[in-house]
């Protein structure tokens, strides 16, 4: 394996890892009926003249299985944090208690579980599309090197096979992550 091939495969692997990491972040935002600090990470709060991530105005904790708390650092932002969580579209109803905002996690209905499973499927499909896009870019790079006369047709075949093998591994990983998330969502 040449240095060029190693660097190309390293780049392809790094970019496919990025697609998997993005999928994990998307999945973390999907509520599964259990409290998780990741659920509130995408929430943005009107504060200090703009919108800032919730994690920049308070700390998120999980005191019990079906409850999140946000310890707001600046007392004047408690109302804004409460409003941001309520308006986030997550179906949560926070309640302020001094500088702490309590966020009970309601039981999921069967209909909501199915919606979340469909959303997880869309996230997984987007991750697969990203992985295939990385594969396409890698294949184009190898063909470009062949046209320039830098590598032979045999090398193109070897590199293409290696990129395809990586792609298959990452698509399988996406499917495994999706199955795991669907089990978590469907669990009552």
């Amino acid at each position: 394996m040449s240095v060029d091939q190693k660097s190309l495969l390293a780049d392809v692997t790094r970019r496919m890892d990025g697609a998997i990491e993005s999928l994990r972040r998307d999945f973390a935002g999907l509520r599964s009926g259990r409290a998780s600090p990741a659920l509130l990470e995408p929430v943005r709060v009107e504060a200090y003249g703009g919108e800032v991530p919730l994690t920049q105005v308070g700390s998120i904790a999980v005191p019990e299985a079906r409850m999140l708390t946000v310890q707001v650092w600046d007392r004047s932002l408690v109302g804004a944090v409460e409003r941001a969580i309520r308006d986030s579209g997550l179906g949560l109803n926070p309640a302020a208690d001094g500088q702490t905002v309590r966020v009970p996690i309601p039981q999921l209905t069967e209909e909501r579980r199915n919606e979340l499973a469909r959303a997880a499927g869309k996230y997984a499909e987007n991750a697969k599309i990203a992985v295939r896009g990385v594969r396409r870019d890698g294949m184009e790079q190898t063909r470009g090197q062949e046209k320039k006369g830098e590598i032979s047709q045999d090398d193109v075949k070897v590199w293409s096979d290696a990129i395809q093998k990586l792609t298959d591994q990452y698509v399988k990983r996406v499917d495994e992550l999706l199955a795991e998330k669907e089990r978590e969502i469907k669990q009552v």
Side-chain angles (χ1 to χ4, degrees):
M1 188 180 288
S2 71
V3 175
D4 283 347
Q5 186 181 13
K6 283 183 183 176
S7 66
L8 174 67
L9 290 179
D11 182 54
V12 167
T13 300
R14 180 187 55 78
R15 292 174 59 200
M16 287 183 181
D17 281 338
I20 294 289
E21 201 48 48
S22 176
L23 177 65
R24 284 196 170 119
R25 277 193 305 276
D26 289 342
F27 279 176
L30 286 178
R31 187 158 63 90
S32 62
R34 285 187 304 232
S36 165
L39 180 63
L40 295 179
E41 284 178 5
V43 175
R44 299 189 63 79
V45 180
E46 279 290 326
Y48 310 120
E51 278 196 354
V52 297
L54 178 63
T55 54
Q56 289 184 7
V57 296
S59 55
I60 305 168
V62 185
E64 53 192 77
R66 303 188 55 74
M67 174 75 70
L68 289 170
T69 59
V70 180
Q71 183 66 39
V72 183
W73 300 319
D74 183 347
R75 186 180 286 278
S76 66
L77 295 176
V78 171
V81 168
E82 194 177 358
R83 219 174 5 268
I85 294 170
R86 188 172 292 115
D87 297 342
S88 66
L90 295 171
L92 301 173
N93 192 17
D97 181 13
Q99 271 188 259
T100 303
V101 176
R102 297 186 183 287
V103 186
I105 307 297
Q107 189 75 350
L108 291 175
T109 64
E110 187 62 32
E111 181 181 326
R112 182 71 178 136
R113 287 179 196 280
N114 290 334
E115 284 175 25
L116 290 173
R118 278 194 298 279
K122 286 179 186 170
Y123 289 149
E125 189 54 40
N126 289 341
K128 287 180 185 179
I129 290 169
V131 166
R132 291 182 192 123
V134 172
R135 176 192 61 193
R136 185 189 61 244
D137 292 347
M139 298 288 200
E140 286 173 1
Q141 283 181 358
T142 59
R143 284 190 216 103
Q145 287 183 326
E146 179 193 17
K147 285 180 184 170
K148 292 179 191 171
E150 296 172 2
I151 60 173
S152 68
Q153 283 184 338
D154 291 342
D155 286 341
V156 169
K157 175 76 172 124
V158 170
W159 289 25
S160 296
D161 288 348
I163 292 171
Q164 184 59 49
K165 189 175 178 183
L166 264 177
T167 303
D168 294 342
Q169 289 171 354
Y170 278 88
V171 166
K172 184 179 177 197
R173 219 151 114 201
V174 167
D175 288 336
E176 289 167 355
L177 288 170
L178 175 60
E180 184 181 314
K181 188 64 179 180
E182 285 178 335
R183 269 194 307 278
E184 184 183 314
I185 289 170
K186 300 283 183 177
Q187 191 178 41
V188 178

